[in-house]
Amino acid sequence: LSILATLISSSIVQAEGNKSKDSNLKLQLKAMTILSDYKNGFAPSNGSGYVLKLKRETPEFLIDGLKVGMGMYRNGDAGLTEWDERSAPKLNKAAYGMVVDVNGSSKALIGELYIDYKNKYFHTKLGRQIINSPLSIIKTSLMPNFYEAYMFDTKILNTLTLTAGHINKISFGSRAMADWGLIGE
């Protein structure tokens, strides 16, 4: 929280003389629940989950196109999941794909902490981030996957962009294990 407070206050101090004084602060609460799926033996048959996201991206500072972003996330069971199979035999499969913790406990983390630089020739993003590619995006999720990565892209033509990057670490989101097990989706 102190890092986020520093980012927020830094934009106030740096606002004088900035090209862009616009701050980007996002708050999101998303919740999901499974009402019933008793007949499908493969899918989860009960469960609920939530994610709370607070993300701040600074206005441009020091040089044109340079920004810093930070996103904090909290994910857990929304209280409607029956985790004990013995007490509810019909509800025999909890929705593990909605929560990061296997028991549904709330988990919080700094999912995004990056430096972003963009000019008319190229764009680069360094640090913890969400990477938007066919191999890294989960179709439906509460907590996304996060990557510690160095990404670089440039437009070669109006319809062609070249992207290169290096991923050092992955922080698995709520559906990462379910997607690995259900690669057919």
Side-chain angles (χ1 to χ4, degrees), residues 23 54 81 84 111 119 122 125 138 142 179:
S23 174
L54 178 62
T81 307
D84 186 7
N119 64 27
F122 68 90
K125 196 172 190 181
I138 295 173
L142 290 174
D179 279 352

Side-chain angles (χ1 to χ4, degrees), residues 61-117:
F61 67 100
L62 294 179
I63 59 175
D64 288 347
L66 182 65
K67 296 180 180 184
V68 174
M70 179 177 178
M72 298 186 325
Y73 295 76
R74 185 171 183 90
N75 171 247
D77 178 27
L80 302 174
T81 307
E82 181 57 60
W83 294 97
D84 186 7
E85 293 178 16
R86 293 170 293 177
S87 66
K90 275 186 116 176
L91 305 175
N92 62 351
K93 241 186 211 182
Y96 293 110
M98 292 189 185
V99 294
V100 175
D101 184 75
V102 72
N103 297 320
S105 297
S106 291
K107 296 282 184 180
L109 68 108
I110 297 174
E112 297 177 87
L113 182 57
Y114 59 83
I115 297 171
D116 190 320
Y117 178 71

